[in-house]
Amino acid sequence: MILGIVGSPRKNRLTERLVSRALEGAEAAGGETHKVYLIDYEVKFYREGVKCCPDELSSLCEEADAIILGAPVYYGDINGLTKDFMDTVRIRDANGKYALGTVIAGGTGKGLCSGIQTIYHFFYHRQMRGIDPTPVSRFNFDRALESLFESGKKLVELSKERKPFKDLWDRIEYYERLEYMNHTFLDEIMLLAKHLIESSKSPKLAEAKKEYELAETLIDQGKRVEAVRHAVKAYDLLYF
């Protein structure tokens, strides 16, 4: 069973659409799926000696062959409800369990990379084998829906045979190779500028492309601080 977890406190919104699309991909590959909403459970923040995550929710996570977790981004990181779930859910024998994460940063899009990193840090520390990190903003939303459909299909095939990590070395090496795990503020604004360039029809598009390409050149030369001004300008030209 592939378990989809919607971390948003609001149903039928963007986070649910993302999780649902990944589940549709899983179903297309012949997988059995189940979707839950954290808002339907009494998930409490961690307190010593208190059962903070309902047994039913923990049991679903333990029984699932793979997990899809989606959350909204608030002020640069995932929302508190999802974080409380990650802090308190009990998943015994999670080593090698496959997992897929996605976040949606509304408005400016800022925080989509730091948010996805938080979810994959959770997967890392629980020894789950995270695949295809999917940071989303309104600038790449439609493309993300289709990539999540494909990731959902992949999850079904991968989860047929769990692949536990041999040791910490193996786990760190695996996560070091995942996209977005080492993205900084500069990398994030470059990603957002790229999404805007790909989707914009603004008369300022040519100027934005020039600034973006200059930022890329400076980054390639190791001049990351100098690149910031041009990356931000490329973003600002198309966002505002």
Side-chain angles (χ1 to χ4, degrees):
M1 180 263 288
I2 309 298
L3 178 65
I5 303 169
V6 180
S8 174
R10 298 183 295 176
K11 296 183 179 181
N12 303 313
R13 299 299 290 268
L14 297 180
T15 302
E16 180 173 0
R17 286 182 63 189
L18 294 168
V19 172
S20 295
R21 189 60 177 156
L23 290 173
E24 288 168 9
E27 291 167 3
E32 176 189 351
T33 67
H34 183 66
K35 181 168 60 178
V36 297
Y37 304 86
L38 292 184
I39 196 65
D40 287 342
Y41 295 85
E42 192 175 354
V43 180
K44 304 174 183 176
F45 64 87
Y46 175 77
R47 285 177 293 168
E48 188 173 0
V50 176
K51 186 179 291 184
C52 302
C53 185
D55 290 339
E56 179 187 349
L57 193 51
S58 292
S59 295
L60 283 169
C61 292
E62 289 184 344
E63 293 164 6
D65 298 307
I67 291 172
I68 299 167
L69 177 59
V73 171
Y74 298 161
Y75 296 100
D77 211 340
I78 61 170
N79 64 319
L81 175 60
T82 305
K83 187 62 171 67
D84 287 342
F85 160 76
M86 295 193 308
D87 286 345
T88 59
V89 66
R90 300 174 303 285
I91 312 177
R92 293 168 293 187
D93 189 28
N95 190 5
K97 185 191 292 281
Y98 281 94
L100 168 65
T102 184
V103 300
I104 172 71
T108 67
K110 297 184 186 77
L112 78 168
C113 289
S114 48
I116 201 67
Q117 287 168 4
T118 295
I119 286 183
Y120 279 75
H121 289 164
F122 165 69
F123 293 159
Y124 163 82
H125 286 290
R126 293 300 181 96
Q127 301 184 55
M128 290 187 274
R129 195 172 285 271
I131 69 163
D132 298 352
T134 309
V136 185
S137 71
R138 59 192 175 93
F139 314 131
N140 73 324
F141 189 83
D142 291 338
R143 292 193 299 277
L145 286 175
E146 294 318 303
S147 70
L148 283 167
F149 182 83
E150 295 302 320
S151 295
K153 289 167 63 176
K154 184 196 299 186
L155 206 57
V156 172
E157 295 305 312
L158 289 172
S159 64
K160 290 177 180 177
E161 184 177 355
R162 186 185 289 198
K163 189 178 179 182
F165 292 107
K166 299 173 185 176
D167 49 32
L168 182 59
W169 179 1
D170 184 27
R171 186 160 34 119
I172 291 176
E173 187 176 50
Y174 177 85
Y175 274 88
E176 280 293 314
R177 291 175 176 166
L178 284 185
E179 194 172 11
Y180 308 115
M181 292 303 97
N182 295 312
H183 270 41
T184 65
F185 295 117
L186 171 59
D187 299 317
E188 181 175 273
I189 206 69
M190 285 289 285
L191 179 64
L192 288 168
K194 180 174 180 285
H195 290 166
L196 280 164
I197 287 169
E198 290 171 346
S199 61
S200 178
K201 297 180 181 178
S202 168
K204 299 178 181 178
L205 182 57
E207 186 182 357
K209 282 183 178 179
K210 183 177 178 181
E211 293 291 338
Y212 179 84
E213 289 166 1
L214 182 52
E216 275 192 317
T217 299
L218 289 168
I219 290 169
D220 289 342
Q221 294 172 350
K223 300 176 181 179
R224 292 180 61 85
V225 174
E226 292 91 331
V228 172
R229 178 165 60 91
H230 300 285
V232 170
K233 189 170 182 181
Y235 170 84
D236 284 348
L237 281 165
L238 299 180
Y239 175 72
F240 293 104

